[in-house]
Amino acid sequence: MTLLRSWVDSANSAKTPFPLNNLPYGVFSIDGDDPRCGVAIGDMILDMAALEQAELVQLDEEPSFDLPFWNDVMELGPTVWNELRNTLTTLLSEGCKHQDTLRQFLVPQAIVEMHMPLIISEFTDFYSSKHHAQNVGTMFRGPENALPPNWLHIPIGYNGRASSVVVSGTKITRPNGQTKAADADMPSFGPCQRLDLELEIGAIVGGSNPLGQPITVAQADEMIFGYVLLNDWSARDIQAWEYQPLGPFQAKAFATTISPWIVTQAALEPFRTSTPDRENDLLPYLAEPKPMLFDIDLSASIAPAGKSATTITRTNYNQMYYSAAQQLTHHASSGCAMQAGDLIGSGTISGPEKHERGSLLELSWGGKEPITLDTGETRTFIEDGDTLTLHGAAQGEGYQIGFGTCIGTIVPAPKFPA
Ligand code: CA
């Protein structure tokens, strides 16, 4: 696969995250007007509501795009998703006869406000990068007990909160919570002292399974509509005190940021890659019929208030031990109903090397080894005013499939109780 050429000039650069090969889906507004569906192409957005009104695309009897979410399109299923992608590819290709009309429906990305691209129905977060699980387990329980006995057999996860999933750019309020210092007799309550990022990929589920009916890994793969960057903000001091016996709760409930563009699974097809060799054979229900991971370069940077950003980690989605399809199959294996709008977090993505760790917990080794930023400042965890940015892109020959950015700035915790 090479760069597909578009009549939108800015889409033909090897540097743009949004060439014709990508066509990610988002929701935008201009000057506070009604948010509606759009597709990124180069440095522009194609206004899908306008396209629908001009009858250049029609998926259903009801309008599908003059809406502030993509859920209605997701529910139409993979055949319609493919038809839509083919239509958009034709309309935006070099030489398209409608380009004079279509030009009126292009909006510069520079002037829009981006919104949540979908209504998240539920959010489940996994723990499926082996290097991350090994690093965190070593810090919390020692190297002998780093990986729990179930880890090599089950994609471990927990049910998170959909209500606190926000779009890139939303300010993140430092949480208050209950913690207990190792040398203290009693717990205390106050602002989190060990605020962290988690560099993840989120899978957007576009299909559903009826309650009581499991799905195969192949079916799960077909149900995935697309992917976003995901920062699963974490309060490590709250987590350390609360996590046994039922797992994380308030430490993860306060905020999760996603990037505004859903990169479709179709756009990522040329970048499929296999999960790693298994240390133990997986049970047959988790067997993968084909490569189910994607080769996506990922990085994260931190910028203190008013200062420049320093890249603190570079890793790749190909480091996952379990794919999103396996996670989804496991999730539904009990008969749990999955639905369009479900968000599945990969779990923090860490590679084998120190500079490939996807959280500050690992980068500063539990706060014991501060990292030095390009500004000369040091960090163990995130401070008020810091801005965290995730980047992601799959690298093709002369083009990339970019995710854009996933940004959040930390504001101080509220005084509570007053
Ligand atoms: Ca997580």
Side-chain angles (χ1 to χ4, degrees), residues 125-126 158 198 200 232 234 252 347-348:
D125 193 30
F126 282 85
Y158 67 94
E198 289 195 332
E200 303 193 20
D232 182 35
S234 297
K252 306 277 192 173
T348 310

Side-chain angles (χ1 to χ4, degrees), residues 177-180 235-253:
Q178 193 178 129
T179 58
K180 184 179 163 301
R236 300 301 182 193
D237 43 355
I238 298 170
Q239 185 178 0
W241 173 229
E242 75 176 4
Y243 89 104
Q244 290 178 320
L246 283 184
F249 185 44
Q250 293 303 294
K252 306 277 192 173

